[in-house]
Amino acid sequence: MAGPGGGGRGGMGGRYLTEEEKKSQPKITGALLRRVFSYLTPYWKQLLLVVLLIAVSSVFGLMPSILTGRIIDEGLIGRNMSALIRLILLSLAVTFGSSLIGVAETYLNTWIAEHITYDMRGKMYRHLQQMSQRFFTTNNQGDIITRMTSDIAGVQSIITSTLTSILSNSITLIVAMIAMYRKNWVLATIGIIIVPLFTIPTRRAGKTRWDITREAQETSDEINGILNETLSVSGQLLVKLFGKEEREYQKYDGANARMVKLNIRERMAGRWFIMILHTFTSIGPMLLYLVGGILMMKYDSNLTVGDITVLVALLGRMYGPVNSLLNIQVDWIRSMAMFTRIFEYFDMPVEIQNAPDAVRMPSADGSVEFRNVDFSYDGDRQILKDVSFTLESGRSVAIVGPSGSGKSTMINLIPRLYDVGAGCVLFGGTDVRKIDLADLRSHVGIVSQETYLFNGTIRENLLYAKEDATEEEMIEACKKANIYDFIERQETGLDTMVGNRGLKLSGGEKQRISIARVLLKDPALLIFDEATSALDSISKAKIQEAIEPLIQSRTSILIAHRLSTILAADEILVLKDGQIVERGTHEKLVRAGGTYTELYETQFSKALVGSGGDDGISEEGKAFLFASDTDPEAY
Ligand code: ATP
């Protein structure tokens, strides 16, 4: 941070608002300001201290300029050596004191800003965690991260920079003006008229330069576009085949010539700017010397050389603050826009939350019932229509259907990642919307297609499901999930890092680790979303081996794509366009000649044909298939 009262503080980004910023300027209302200040109020004591420090350091900052007058009058002109030394030492001490206070002020300022952003980040993170799956699927992840990071960081800069800038510059100006008036009112008035005049040309020059820079940027983009298009392999081919060389050259030449003019104008605008700046900054002092001289020599015999020097020095200290204060508006609008964007997120309602009368369910039997469930993501397109089925405790159901028929959507409704549009979903006999969310989710375990492992060790990923799991429990779960052999082969065993910073796992290995994770969670209901992606047959078989006994031992829902998984379930639901169109056993459905038969012919049978025995289908499954009167050869 610059010294107090120095060249003016403040500034985030460019000095002028972009067109986009101008268009999306927030409406600065009293309510918005009150809300912004509500984040400052817990720190009012520290803020008050900062204001005090800024005031003292601004006054101290001006002191050397004021003391210069006495150094000249008393020390130099008065030929008083002891006064000269005393004043010089005083001036140095004041400068040192002012810098020291500046350090304390920066510390306190940063402390406040950091604490305010800490509060905001924490509040935002908590809020985002409560947001529904819908929020995360409809909002761009980049946008969410930007609000968490840059926007909140912007808020920090308004405190450390904009607010301090307003305060210190205003105080410097006021103190300088008072000091000038105390010396001589005529000269002070001249100075106060000159300072704002100085800012007019600099602002104009700055604006012109900014406009030219923007235009130059656009032209440069245009030139790059032309080059990219016409100098690429396919672009050149097109130009050649259509004989457009001359036309393309003309287009390029036009933009190129414009660029030359703009570059010259930009450079010259900068040059004019410096010239105007120099002239104006020297007009002020010269005018003061002239008028001061006339006053001193002709009218006011009390005015000293020292006084005039002080007035000129103070005038010099006013340009910076005036300029900064005039530019503050841009920072202010930007900061308010950031606050508005942050508040927009805070104001998004939490879609899925505990009902006031939510019941706790310390244990559950895992049974599920869908009663006439309708669901739509956007309120427009119905994804599930009148879906009803019952899954009794201890039994399993396989959901099959074409891609996009709504299978994943159905299971998302059980742990309330989304809420039904109409009808209801019951878990353990209670409407899921009436169950305590944390309880509900603790009873449902999902092995999804897109397995997500955190960046960390295998152990840490497993402990995510059960913090106090013992080594034995973890090994047991890994064995059951058919992943222990793999873990044992790793040098560091369970402590092997996975994810970005460690071992890259295959889709099958990840899914088996996530099966082990769900096993540790030991949920009443297990949901298994089978991977459609091409896993190799060994991986498939290993997952199959892991999942089959699990299905037998607990209430489960399987989104199945492979015959062997389907055969492991007690009942099959066939979903098409969001409706259950068929249900029953494999044997019954395959004979029915409907959607299931179609799926069986086009998809499931692939698991059988050409897989050379490593198809992941259990022996029982094959026995069943071949024993039934469906002839696999026919498919
Ligand atoms: P697959 O077998 O390919 O995984 P699926 O049967 O599981 O498909 P769903 O994922 O349930 O199908 O999707 C059903 C329909 O809902 C699809 O048309 C899909 O485009 C739409 N859909 C899925 N998720 C969302 C979402 N978050 N927002 C809007 N539409 C969605």
Side-chain angles (χ1 to χ4, degrees):
M1 211 178 283
R9 304 177 188 189
M12 321 180 292
R15 291 281 62 169
Y16 300 92
L17 293 175
T18 60
E19 289 302 320
E20 205 178 309
E21 281 175 318
K22 272 186 200 158
K23 260 187 244 147
S24 58
Q25 255 189 51
K27 257 183 62 193
I28 299 176
T29 58
L32 175 66
L33 289 180
R34 269 196 299 283
R35 201 164 170 188
V36 169
F37 280 100
S38 74
Y39 283 91
L40 305 183
T41 36
Y43 304 101
W44 71 269
K45 279 186 208 147
Q46 288 87 344
L47 280 166
L48 199 70
L49 191 58
V50 168
V51 172
L52 218 73
L53 288 179
I54 291 177
V56 175
S57 89
S58 303
V59 174
F60 272 29
L62 283 177
M63 284 295 279
S65 306
I66 297 167
L67 285 174
T68 317
R70 289 181 57 195
I71 290 176
I72 292 174
D73 287 340
E74 291 173 31
L76 299 177
I77 299 177
R79 292 179 174 269
N80 182 339
M81 191 48 101
S82 71
L84 182 68
I85 291 172
R86 193 166 36 83
L87 287 166
I88 287 175
L89 286 179
L90 183 63
S91 180
L92 287 176
V94 167
T95 311
F96 179 71
S98 156
S99 311
L100 210 62
I101 293 171
V103 174
E105 182 225 317
T106 307
Y107 170 75
L108 202 58
N109 218 333
T110 316
W111 186 92
I112 297 171
E114 283 295 337
H115 278 74
I116 290 171
T117 46
Y118 166 84
D119 295 346
M120 274 196 150
R121 285 208 178 100
K123 195 170 163 195
M124 179 79 103
Y125 192 79
R126 271 243 168 273
H127 185 67
L128 288 179
Q129 272 188 326
Q130 289 180 326
M131 296 310 281
S132 68
Q133 208 58 15
R134 190 191 307 278
F135 170 83
F136 292 99
T137 48
T138 46
N139 282 286
N140 183 328
Q141 194 186 355
D143 282 354
I144 301 175
I145 306 281
T146 305
R147 283 193 208 203
M148 271 300 291
T149 53
S150 329
D151 283 357
I152 296 189
V155 161
Q156 190 169 349
S157 97
I158 188 183
I159 299 157
T160 48
S161 156
T162 316
L163 288 184
T164 331
S165 166
I166 297 178
L167 262 177
S168 81
N169 289 323
S170 315
I171 293 173
T172 305
L173 272 185
I174 293 168
V175 175
M177 275 194 296
I178 294 172
M180 282 174 88
Y181 269 100
R182 283 188 50 176
K183 289 281 169 214
N184 185 290
W185 70 267
V186 181
L187 293 181
T189 312
I190 292 176
I192 284 155
I193 293 169
I194 287 175
V195 173
L197 283 181
F198 141 87
T199 61
I200 297 169
T202 57
R203 280 175 71 75
R204 276 204 68 86
K207 177 92 179 85
T208 314
R209 194 167 180 201
W210 172 253
D211 289 343
I212 299 172
T213 312
R214 289 254 317 278
E215 216 179 315
Q217 188 57 49
E218 279 163 22
T219 313
S220 155
D221 289 348
E222 193 185 324
I223 291 177
N224 286 340
I226 296 175
L227 293 180
N228 270 331
E229 262 184 24
T230 56
L231 295 186
S232 65
V233 177
S234 39
Q236 255 307 301
L237 194 65
L238 195 72
V239 172
K240 284 202 173 78
L241 291 180
F242 283 86
K244 296 285 187 199
E245 287 88 346
E246 190 50 34
R247 213 192 86 166
E248 292 301 338
Y249 173 73
Q250 291 303 340
K251 225 160 87 182
Y252 175 71
D253 191 49
N256 208 5
R258 235 177 315 136
M259 194 70 196
V260 169
K261 281 192 196 134
L262 282 171
N263 280 343
I264 295 173
R265 270 179 58 203
E266 188 190 0
R267 187 98 181 94
M268 284 322 286
R271 199 59 202 83
W272 286 117
F273 175 80
I274 293 169
M275 193 208 87
I276 293 166
L277 199 75
H278 272 160
T279 318
F280 262 80
T281 33
S282 52
I283 285 177
M286 292 310 139
L287 205 62
L288 285 195
Y289 282 132
L290 179 68
V291 181
I294 295 170
L295 283 179
M296 189 173 78
M297 288 178 238
K298 300 223 159 161
Y299 303 99
D300 187 353
S301 55
N302 286 335
L303 197 65
T304 64
V305 177
D307 290 341
I308 298 175
T309 318
V310 170
L311 284 160
V312 170
L314 287 175
L315 183 77
R317 301 298 299 266
M318 283 166 79
Y319 291 122
V322 167
N323 210 18
S324 296
L325 285 176
L326 287 172
N327 283 324
I328 282 289
Q329 194 205 1
V330 172
D331 289 346
W332 181 251
I333 291 172
R334 269 197 198 129
S335 316
M336 286 302 139
M338 278 176 193
F339 272 116
T340 315
R341 277 205 297 270
I342 293 168
F343 292 156
E344 243 173 53
Y345 263 29
F346 279 146
D347 291 341
M348 282 184 190
V350 177
E351 202 183 327
I352 291 186
Q353 51 188 332
N354 264 342
D357 54 351
V359 290
R360 297 225 36 188
M361 265 188 135
S363 64
D365 61 9
S367 67
V368 174
E369 187 184 344
F370 273 54
R371 260 189 218 159
N372 311 102
V373 169
D374 285 352
F375 179 80
S376 160
Y377 283 105
D378 51 11
D380 204 18
R381 189 162 68 102
Q382 284 295 320
I383 303 292
L384 295 179
K385 292 161 222 156
D386 199 22
V387 171
S388 295
F389 78 91
T390 309
L391 170 65
E392 281 164 24
S393 174
R395 304 203 30 104
S396 57
V397 64
I399 306 173
V400 300
S403 176
S405 55
K407 302 183 292 292
S408 309
T409 307
M410 255 175 88
I411 58 163
N412 285 344
L413 300 178
I414 303 170
R416 281 189 81 196
L417 296 181
Y418 295 91
D419 272 343
V420 293
C424 62
V425 175
L426 306 166
F427 181 72
T430 312
D431 188 329
V432 287
R433 286 167 297 185
K434 294 263 161 59
I435 305 175
D436 180 77
L437 258 185
D439 264 358
L440 171 69
R441 289 178 183 165
S442 73
H443 295 311
V444 180
I446 300 187
V447 178
S448 58
Q449 274 195 38
E450 292 292 321
T451 314
Y452 191 77
L453 295 181
F454 284 108
N455 219 338
T457 62
I458 297 178
R459 182 190 303 279
E460 282 163 353
N461 271 289
L462 292 175
L463 290 177
Y464 203 70
K466 188 181 179 199
E467 276 172 31
D468 55 355
T470 62
E471 185 85 15
E472 287 72 40
E473 281 175 317
M474 277 190 273
I475 293 174
E476 179 71 19
C478 290
K479 279 188 180 154
K480 278 195 187 155
N482 235 342
I483 188 72
Y484 193 63
D485 288 351
F486 170 81
I487 295 174
E488 255 188 335
R489 279 202 305 277
Q490 306 305 315
E491 243 170 62
T492 39
L494 279 173
D495 295 311
T496 306
M497 293 287 291
V498 293
N500 295 344
R501 286 185 284 124
L503 190 66
K504 296 278 174 288
L505 297 168
S506 76
E509 285 151 2
K510 270 198 209 162
Q511 207 169 36
R512 278 181 284 147
I513 292 184
S514 87
I515 292 172
R517 188 163 63 181
V518 161
L519 278 176
L520 281 172
K521 184 175 175 180
D522 193 23
L525 172 69
L526 175 76
I527 299 172
F528 179 60
D529 193 348
E530 190 168 46
T532 39
S533 55
L535 288 180
D536 62 86
S537 48
I538 296 178
S539 284
K540 282 180 193 165
K542 286 197 162 150
I543 292 175
Q544 198 66 41
E545 254 176 58
I547 208 79
E548 253 172 42
L550 284 180
I551 300 168
Q552 308 304 339
S553 64
R554 72 184 71 212
T555 326
S556 6
I557 299 179
L558 319 155
I559 297 185
H561 302 287
R562 306 181 58 239
L563 191 57
S564 45
T565 320
I566 300 169
L567 291 177
D570 296 317
E571 194 190 9
I572 301 163
L573 299 180
V574 184
L575 202 65
K576 193 179 175 191
D577 296 332
Q579 279 175 309
I580 296 180
V581 287
E582 291 166 33
R583 66 178 82 197
T585 59
H586 170 78
E587 198 183 12
K588 178 186 147 199
L589 292 175
V590 91
R591 285 207 199 101
T595 310
Y596 186 80
T597 318
E598 216 174 282
L599 285 168
Y600 179 57
E601 283 173 5
T602 54
Q603 293 181 16
F604 311 152
S605 54
K606 280 188 198 135
L608 195 69
V609 181
S611 49
D614 205 1
D615 52 20
I617 299 181
S618 63
E619 287 309 315
E620 300 90 301
K622 279 182 195 160
F624 169 82
L625 262 180
F626 289 102
S628 71
D629 56 2
T630 49
D631 179 9
E633 294 301 326
Y635 299 110

